[in-house]
Amino acid sequence: MPAAALIPGLDEIVRRGDPKRRADAARRISELFLQGAANFRADHVDLFDGVLISLVPHTELAARADLAERLSLLANAPRGLVGQLAHEDEIAIAGPLLRRSPVIDEKILVEIASMKGQGHLLAMAERTALSSDLTDVIVRRGDRDVVRRTAGNAGAAFSTDGYSTLIKRAGQDGVLTLKIGQRDDLSAEQLRDLLAGSIDVVRRRLFDVVKPARQMAIKRAMNEISGVIERVEGGRNFEPAQRTVIALHRAGELNESALLGFAKAFKYEESIAALAAMTGVKIATLDQLISGERYDPILIAGKSVGLEWATVRALILLRLGPNRVVSPADIEGARVNFARLMPSTAERVVGFWKTRPQV
């Protein structure tokens, strides 16, 4: 099947034809290929590929999008043309191919993932299989929706570094925690790291949605996490408080109501131990932050885990002590600042606290 046999005068159109003639030729040749694709040999496909690469860029966006959609379903689609279309910025063209085309090379996928936007990454995240090289790029560059979709893809593989990045991001994203926690390829160590960085309500939700075998693994991981009493240097003894909080956790009763009760009763050690368990921040770090001169750390910690103002107010009063006279203006100022504080900002700060061994 020589190139000239595809349509009369093709060589002339490719070399010197105006855009309209090239677009018309591209439409006719594309249709010819699509009609006979099932019967074409590899050399025939290569012939179409060489011709269409020169012609298709001259077609309208809608025509390229339709062609990409139809090519995405073919196991013998022209590789060069598919790669060309997959590189387009318009997601209506690149999207179908990135989602499901079986002929895109791994190298091309990684290249596109490294340079294109979130729409392209989201499309790739829907492929039936994703290599660890590709997911390394996706979890590094992807936004929240992209990373969630990738983590929920059963056909995705993750490197050790990729999983570390996922778990770190999950510390600020409960939905992502649930998706990672349900993955069959998650190791016991990775599960423990995931749970250690999550809040209690997310842990309980994960336990409810996973398979029975994973529920047993979660129990073991939580026992490992909760069974370690943190040693805190200084004048206060937090060990009895930690044992109290661990018991509450095991009974499923470590929640905001319990924290509020500790704070109202001016039980400082229990309050700090409970808040540490809920935020994932070390007790020593929280103790030093909250016992300082400003109440800002209480606002930040409370906002990061969604506490109500009543609980945050009780923690502020706890910090000041039962015998301190508190100015209504100071409390109102704290309330206004708490209301203005964005959860995303608080979560970033708490994430920073988690990485510091001490303040």
Side-chain angles (χ1 to χ4, degrees), residues 285-307:
T285 300
L286 275 182
D287 179 37
Q288 292 182 41
L289 286 166
I290 290 176
S291 62
E293 296 183 357
R294 298 180 60 84
Y295 56 69
D296 295 8
I298 296 175
L299 305 186
I300 293 169
K303 182 70 73 169
S304 73
V305 293
L307 296 183

Side-chain angles (χ1 to χ4, degrees), residues 278-326:
M278 295 172 73
T279 60
V281 178
K282 289 182 178 295
I283 290 176
T285 300
L286 275 182
D287 179 37
Q288 292 182 41
L289 286 166
I290 290 176
S291 62
E293 296 183 357
R294 298 180 60 84
Y295 56 69
D296 295 8
I298 296 175
L299 305 186
I300 293 169
K303 182 70 73 169
S304 73
V305 293
L307 296 183
E308 298 290 339
W309 165 245
T311 306
V312 173
R313 181 180 184 276
L315 289 169
I316 293 174
L317 297 177
L318 165 73
R319 165 183 167 273
L320 297 174
N323 299 320
R324 287 280 300 273
V325 176
V326 183

